[in-house]
Amino acid sequence: RALMEATGEDYDTCHEKLYTGGYRVYTSIDMDAQALLQDTIDNELEAYNTMNSNGTYALQASAVTIDNESGLVTAIVGGRSQEGVSQDYNRAYLSFRQPGSSIKPLIVYTPALERGYSASSTVIDSKEVDGPSNSGNRYAGAISLRTAVEQSKNTVAYKLFKELTPEVGISYLLDMNFSSIKDTDYTPAAALGGLTTGASSLEMTAAYATLENEGVYRQPTCITMITDMDGNIVVMPEQEEKQVYQSSAAHEMTNILEGVLTRGTAHGNAIPGMPCAGKTGTTNDNLDGWFVGYTGYYTTGVWVGFDSPRSAKALSGASYPLAIWNTYMTELHQGLTSKALND
């Protein structure tokens, strides 16, 4: 697409020239981080070797890491390594899945923080007749908004989203270039990740990187430059930036999400000596598991599930996705000095 815009030539011509034109494509991929992310996914899912009929692993994963300083993609993994299986299908940006509760900070809580709510605001955790249930059917009554996020209370997110309206909440996703929003997504169920098509790992990671980046969204890419065989620059992408969330709301949301890793659904999985924040996500019937989290250095989003969605009792945001995130991010930050979030 970048070549089409730069040259005015059609898709087929540009596609062929990529392979035959002697172009040099420069990327922001850190090969050490790329290998580490791939190895971590492979190792964490090694025991789950059930195959599809076409010989590929049934349980799959995708993950993306964004450098919070540059906003560029540092690593992107589209599936488990497997000899003899093509890696052309990169789930990290080609697969769209329901994000579960990992969507709540993006379309419910940060927008609510922009409209008068705070971490200490009292919200009511109770089931409505037409509303969702909480995990384990547990309801705590009057709690703080901070606790509602840490414990991923579906009831609270649902009520706040109805108050906010789906039109307002989903507008934040559109501002961050989520590409698969449908007319059918404008319902209260979206507050819990009930999107018709869903979101990609790349989109979710870029959105959480926005929270770390003072609420400023940057279009994620790993292409920094394309030159022709003579060294002439053909494509030099300009990074799109947009203030999506108020800086103060992004700061407060980050502060709340730190508690998810110390007291909440991801407790015990903080990176030693490194401030970090994040959110679990699990869809109905345990079809998808997500964890998206960040430090001052990097934002990483992880999805685990089956290409043809099916239920797996052991699958949740706090199981394989969180284990992959924690193992990988802990190793990625080895030797780095402690860095404050939103710094």
Side-chain angles (χ1 to χ4, degrees):
R1 287 197 297 268
L3 282 173
M4 288 169 65
E5 292 173 7
T7 64
E9 296 173 328
D10 63 30
Y11 178 90
D12 289 338
T13 300
C14 289
H15 186 269
E16 182 180 353
K17 280 189 173 182
L18 270 178
Y19 291 92
T20 63
Y23 289 110
R24 289 185 174 89
V25 181
Y26 296 84
T27 82
S28 56
I29 298 295
D30 179 322
M31 295 309 293
D32 289 336
Q34 178 75 19
L36 176 63
L37 184 54
Q38 183 71 71
D39 289 346
T40 304
I41 286 174
D42 292 343
N43 292 337
E44 291 291 340
L45 300 181
E46 184 177 14
Y48 305 92
N49 53 14
T50 301
M51 301 289 185
N52 291 318
S53 57
N54 63 1
T56 60
Y57 287 124
L59 185 64
Q60 281 293 344
S62 65
V64 176
T65 298
I66 289 175
D67 183 317
N68 289 333
E69 182 175 350
S70 67
L72 297 172
V73 173
T74 294
I76 179 165
V77 170
R80 297 169 65 181
S81 296
Q82 193 173 356
E83 283 191 23
V85 175
S86 169
Q87 300 296 312
D88 287 350
Y89 182 62
N90 191 313
R91 294 165 184 79
Y93 65 92
L94 294 174
S95 178
F96 295 83
R97 303 296 288 252
Q98 291 193 0
S101 293
S102 62
I103 204 73
K104 292 173 183 174
L106 306 178
I107 67 174
V108 180
Y109 289 115
T110 311
L113 293 173
E114 294 185 341
R115 290 164 173 79
Y117 283 88
S118 70
S120 59
S121 293
T122 299
V123 291
I124 305 302
D125 174 24
S126 63
K127 188 172 182 350
E128 295 185 340
V129 173
D130 64 340
S133 302
N134 287 334
S135 176
N137 292 309
R138 293 186 291 269
Y139 307 93
I143 56 174
S144 69
L145 186 144
R146 180 187 297 279
T147 299
V149 176
E150 291 176 354
Q151 301 300 324
S152 201
K153 296 291 190 179
N154 291 335
T155 55
V156 174
Y158 183 82
K159 292 173 188 176
L160 287 179
F161 193 64
K162 287 207 300 183
E163 179 183 307
L164 187 69
T165 76
E167 288 71 23
V168 169
I170 288 175
S171 71
Y172 288 85
L173 299 185
L174 297 176
D175 282 344
M176 294 185 288
N177 296 343
F178 277 62
S179 60
S180 296
I181 301 301
K182 309 296 184 186
D183 290 343
T184 48
D185 290 334
Y186 291 84
T187 69
L192 313 180
L195 302 175
T196 308
T197 302
S200 70
S201 300
L202 182 64
E203 290 172 341
M204 292 297 293
T205 306
Y208 272 74
T210 301
L211 293 177
E212 204 288 326
N213 191 41
E214 306 276 352
V216 176
Y217 169 80
R218 293 174 290 191
Q219 177 68 29
T221 182
C222 65
I223 305 298
T224 58
M225 184 171 64
I226 301 176
T227 66
D228 63 19
M229 65 177 66
D230 297 319
N232 300 309
I233 296 174
V234 180
V235 174
M236 178 75 83
E238 291 185 12
Q239 194 170 48
E240 172 194 340
E241 292 194 358
K242 185 189 303 182
Q243 188 80 47
V244 173
Y245 299 109
Q246 295 172 8
S247 176
S248 58
H251 270 265
E252 190 161 17
M253 190 72 250
T254 293
N255 178 267
I256 293 169
L257 291 174
E258 287 186 76
V260 172
L261 284 149
T262 56
R263 295 179 296 273
T265 54
H267 66 90
N269 284 276
I271 301 169
M274 186 67 65
C276 53
K279 184 72 184 73
T280 54
T282 309
T283 60
N284 287 346
D285 300 318
N286 302 85
L287 299 178
D288 303 274
W290 293 80
F291 190 82
V292 192
Y294 50 94
T295 67
Y297 292 101
Y298 297 106
T299 301
T300 295
V302 181
W303 165 84
V304 176
F306 297 89
D307 286 334
S308 298
R310 70 174 193 248
S311 181
K313 286 185 178 180
L315 178 58
S316 71
S319 62
Y320 315 128
L322 179 56
I324 291 167
W325 184 91
N326 175 267
T327 300
Y328 165 73
M329 289 284 273
T330 298
E331 181 64 26
L332 187 64
H333 287 78
Q334 287 295 316
L336 296 177
T337 58
S338 180
K339 185 176 183 180
L341 293 160
N342 299 125
D343 189 5

